[in-house]
Amino acid sequence: MKGRLVLPLLALGGCSGAQAPLDAWGVQAERIAALSHVLFWGGGLIFLITMGALVLAIAAPAHWRQRMGTRSFAIAAGIVFPVVTLTALLAHALGVSRAIMRPMSDAPMRVEIVGRQFWWEVRYPDLGEGALTANALHLPVGREVELHLTSGDVIHSVWIPNLHGKMDMIPGRVNRQRLRADRTGVLRGQCTEFCGLQHTLMAFDVVVQEPAEFEAWVARQRAPVPAPETAAQRRGMQVFGEAGCGACHAVRGTEWKARIAPDLSRVGSRLTLAAGALANRHSNLAGWIAAPQDIKPGNAMPAYARALEGADLLAVTDWLESLR
């Protein structure tokens, strides 16, 4: 009995959640979900009609089978019906495709997302200098956003199932996608174009906030990080510089302004680490600094387990965790 329940439960798992195309959080996703229902139920109906015709061809009375073997029936069922049905579905699908690309406002908020192996750089150029983050996309609820999508290395592809369809990110090219989130909460985006060894661990959080909460988040992103409050945090900041972390990472309000690796200015407030690979907890952050290649082999982060003493490693973790 339990085994019979597994398949329906797995099927229902795709109907809601933080990465579910049928759980639409915006108008574009609603149209895509509606198209999916048309194709699913339409395909199911055609399957039933086909199976019914097969049963009639085998078990129906002789005069029925004779009619089904005529030239006119073959033309109607084998040519006219498929052509009309597929043409109608194509016209409907093209209409949906055009509708989801149609602008909803004249002044959407611009967000630039750059895909990199294997993380995401997210910038808000319309909101002032310093409005940027990594591996997290924050959106104000109810406001149209235009994503400017590109890549810094190989071809990536971004997909936020609850908000829109997939869009490729190509080096040297900017693709645009408009969307609007109509619910607050946390969603998940994912790279859907194979881009290397850690393609499957290249995700990001999508945090949809009330407008006032979003503005407060932007203000925190633009502001310098707070000064260390404890001796451990002060030591952690010192070790961060001595270990050369600032050669790759930026921390706003400090001398470290590199753009090679994710910006760490507010890393303590993020929900996940390593592009969605780990929940943002003290132990996971320490483990990531110590042995990133054991967690996500092939990424560009060097391991510091041997380069740092245990106390220094924990001090760096304490300081980064305080950056909220």
Side-chain angles (χ1 to χ4, degrees):
M1 183 64 180
K2 291 182 179 179
R4 296 176 184 175
L5 296 175
V6 172
L7 187 57
L9 289 175
L10 289 175
L12 289 173
C15 296
S16 64
Q19 194 174 15
L22 298 181
D23 184 13
W25 283 39
V27 62
Q28 291 87 0
E30 287 175 357
R31 290 176 174 141
I32 294 172
L35 176 60
S36 300
H37 286 299
V38 169
L39 295 176
F40 177 80
W41 294 111
L45 179 60
I46 293 170
F47 175 78
L48 292 176
I49 293 172
T50 304
M51 292 300 101
L54 178 61
V55 171
L56 289 175
I58 296 172
H63 66 279
W64 278 93
R65 286 185 278 122
Q66 287 177 353
R67 290 182 182 178
M68 295 176 70
T70 62
R71 179 185 179 89
S72 59
F73 183 87
I75 292 175
I79 298 177
V80 176
F81 177 73
V83 168
V84 171
T85 302
L86 292 176
T87 301
L89 288 174
L90 176 61
H92 179 64
L94 291 175
V96 171
S97 177
R98 185 174 181 178
I100 64 176
M101 299 299 292
R102 189 179 299 127
M104 293 178 288
S105 68
D106 295 330
M109 184 179 72
R110 184 166 44 120
V111 181
E112 298 175 351
I113 304 180
V114 183
R116 305 184 187 277
Q117 291 178 309
F118 301 95
W119 61 283
W120 310 84
E121 183 178 3
V122 183
R123 311 168 187 155
Y124 297 80
D126 295 341
L127 304 182
E129 185 178 356
L132 59 91
T133 186
N135 301 321
L137 173 62
H138 285 247
L139 301 174
V141 68
R143 181 174 178 183
E144 186 179 22
V145 173
E146 184 174 78
L147 303 182
H148 290 213
L149 308 170
T150 189
S151 170
D153 37 53
V154 302
I155 295 177
H156 300 279
S157 187
V158 66
W159 187 32
I160 310 171
N162 303 68
L163 294 179
H164 213 303
K166 165 187 170 180
M167 179 70 75
D168 285 344
M169 310 171 80
I170 302 170
R173 178 187 176 96
V174 177
N175 288 333
R176 291 171 172 81
Q177 183 181 75
R178 289 199 179 197
L179 54 83
R180 187 187 71 204
D182 295 329
R183 275 194 257 167
T184 58
V186 180
L187 298 172
R188 185 174 185 269
Q190 176 69 45
C191 180
T192 54
E193 185 75 26
F194 181 73
C195 56
L197 182 62
Q198 290 303 327
H199 162 69
T200 55
L201 292 180
M202 186 174 168
F204 61 96
D205 297 303
V206 182
V207 184
V208 186
Q209 302 168 295
E210 293 291 347
E213 187 180 356
F214 175 76
E215 294 296 334
W217 175 82
V218 171
R220 287 195 301 273
Q221 292 301 120
R222 297 182 60 193
V225 299
E229 295 181 353
T230 68
Q233 292 173 7
R234 287 190 289 272
R235 175 57 183 163
M237 184 176 181
Q238 179 183 349
V239 172
F240 184 92
E242 293 174 350
C245 304
C248 297
H249 296 281
V251 181
R252 210 153 14 261
T254 71
E255 61 185 289
W256 305 305
K257 305 181 186 302
R259 296 281 292 275
I260 299 173
D263 185 289
L264 298 179
S265 300
R266 302 289 171 177
V267 65
S269 64
R270 294 174 192 164
L271 300 176
T272 59
L273 301 169
L278 299 167
N280 192 358
R281 296 194 295 265
H282 186 275
S283 57
N284 287 342
L285 181 55
W288 174 252
I289 297 170
Q293 297 304 320
D294 292 341
I295 297 170
K296 196 171 177 177
N299 79 91
M301 173 82 173
Y304 284 92
R306 295 184 179 179
L308 298 178
E309 297 289 338
D312 286 343
L313 191 150
L314 291 176
V316 173
T317 304
D318 287 344
W319 177 61
L320 291 176
E321 196 173 39
S322 73
L323 303 182
R324 299 176 181 272

